[in-house]
Amino acid sequence: MISPSTVVSLLWTRKSSGSWYDRSIVVIMSTANNADPKLLESLPLEILRTTPAGQPPPGIQANLADPRTRVPVILGVGTAFLVLAVFCFSVRIYTKVAITKNWKWDDLTCSLGFMCSIVYFVAVVMGCINGAAGRHQWDMHLDKVLNKSSLYQDYITTIMITPALGLIKISLFIQYYLLFQPLRWVRITVWIGATISVLFYVAVTVTGLIMNSPWPGETLLEGILSWHYLKFAQFSIPTGVVGMVVDWYLLFLPVPAIMTLQMSTAKKFGILLVFMTGGLAAIASVVSLYYRVHLQNHMSDPTWNVG
């Protein structure tokens, strides 16, 4: 979670013996295009350990000794949902493998999406524990913001989120197709939604992998501060909009099919309640879009805002 707007200007002179002295560090805010990753990488470790990573807003006092943090909340909430997800996924896999012994395509896409989610969560944990995530940028030194944990969290979460979401949505489309296959209109609506989703998420995943990965000759830091990495960040809101539309599409798609089932109203209502649990994902997509817009408009403190 590095702010590409942080530019460090180091003024020094050098003795004949090669040691550094009379150093003056000036941290200024500038545009992303002026960020110089090579300069950041050239700074001695003792400079990184003593130089604040950003300037606090007017009226705010930096707290480098005991910085405010969102890490307990991030890890607590994330771990709670992870435990629930692992339980549900384990029950599904056990049922498919040991009981019904009927493994289908939706199980494969769900498993792949779940694995991408695990990789994403591990990167977040790594960034929270050893990196800069969940803290104000001005409450940390540069070594915290530029260390490997912060860089890898930034990179891995960026390239993992899209395939994780896309694969899970595709698994639901396949599941709907298998459940309501006799209904022609369901098959058509599933094919339409699934085709659009596959094309979109594959395109964004491939584009993200290309644009967010270091290009030949670039280090990871240079890649993260590069124009192509920052350019892909502009896809965040459009991706959130499409994801939200697909989630709500998936939520309401099975409702008419359930209402046509030959069973009592009470049983139909019970089945609807099960499918309506997907409303949590739909609501989460709306919240996610809100924060995507918020982050796009508040880039000065990304380590805190992303948390």
Side-chain angles (χ1 to χ4, degrees), residues 5 30 113 145 154 184 206 276 278 304:
S5 59
S30 183
V145 179
D154 215 12
R184 182 172 180 272
V206 173
M276 286 301 103
W304 175 265

Side-chain angles (χ1 to χ4, degrees), residues 107-218:
D107 301 308
L108 176 61
T109 52
C110 180
S111 299
L112 292 175
F114 185 75
M115 286 188 285
C116 290
S117 300
I118 293 296
V119 173
Y120 179 95
F121 182 76
V122 170
V124 170
V125 172
M126 180 175 62
C128 286
I129 295 177
N130 299 317
R135 304 166 181 87
H136 288 299
Q137 193 157 314
W138 55 82
D139 286 339
M140 296 176 290
H141 293 110
L142 278 175
D143 66 321
K144 194 77 170 178
V145 179
L146 300 178
N147 65 20
K148 290 184 178 180
S149 295
S150 293
L151 296 179
Y152 279 116
Q153 183 209 355
D154 215 12
Y155 174 64
I156 293 173
T157 54
T158 303
I159 65 172
M160 280 291 122
I161 185 63
T162 303
L165 294 174
L167 285 165
I168 292 173
K169 295 180 199 297
I170 296 304
S171 71
L172 292 174
F173 277 117
I174 297 174
Q175 190 174 48
Y176 287 171
Y177 184 89
L178 296 175
L179 287 173
F180 305 107
Q181 192 170 6
L183 300 176
R184 182 172 180 272
W185 70 267
V186 174
R187 297 198 303 271
I188 294 174
T189 52
V190 165
W191 271 110
I192 293 174
T195 300
I196 293 174
S197 297
V198 168
L199 292 176
F200 176 78
Y201 281 102
V202 168
V204 175
T205 297
V206 173
T207 303
L209 188 61
I210 294 173
M211 298 290 281
N212 293 317
S213 298
W215 286 10
E218 290 182 341

Side-chain angles (χ1 to χ4, degrees), residues 65-79:
D66 185 24
R68 185 181 175 190
T69 176
R70 286 177 170 173
V71 169
V73 175
I74 297 172
L75 296 184
V77 174
T79 301

